[in-house]
Amino acid sequence: MSAAQETPTGERAVFRKNSREFLVIAESEYQGREYIDIRSHYVNDKGELSPTRKGITLPPGKLNEFAASLSAFAQELEMRENEE
């Protein structure tokens, strides 16, 4: 792995996205800085999870703001479903 690539430092959660993909939340480091990585993974030929290019990377200080945005979005969707 080259120095320009992200280095995973700690997997925190794995969610099944569908029959072929998983979402993995992990801590990572890039150029000496810590990040939270939320990335789509697939199961490779060896049966291991491998990352795809699909995902987002956030500085840890933005994680609570991101989680609050997701929560607000989920509440809005739930309210719409209850109105139908």
Side-chain angles (χ1 to χ4, degrees):
M1 188 174 286
S2 74
Q5 291 179 316
E6 219 171 282
T7 305
T9 57
E11 186 177 291
R12 294 293 180 235
V14 178
F15 299 96
R16 181 177 286 277
K17 181 178 173 182
N18 57 43
S19 63
R20 299 180 320 235
E21 292 181 289
F22 295 83
L23 288 177
V24 176
I25 301 172
E27 293 178 80
S28 63
E29 184 179 306
Y30 180 71
Q31 295 184 347
R33 293 193 174 133
E34 299 291 321
Y35 292 97
I36 305 299
D37 189 55
I38 304 169
R39 189 144 315 275
S40 183
H41 285 62
Y42 68 97
V43 179
N44 66 20
D45 295 339
K46 296 178 184 178
E48 301 167 341
L49 287 177
S50 291
T52 69
R53 295 179 59 98
K54 295 184 255 177
I56 61 168
T57 303
L58 303 166
K62 291 288 187 176
L63 185 59
N64 286 335
E65 183 180 344
F66 179 71
S69 296
L70 283 177
S71 181
F73 183 69
Q75 288 176 354
E76 183 181 323
L77 289 177
E78 187 176 321
M79 286 174 46
R80 277 195 243 157
E81 287 177 2
N82 289 337
E83 289 174 357
E84 294 176 359

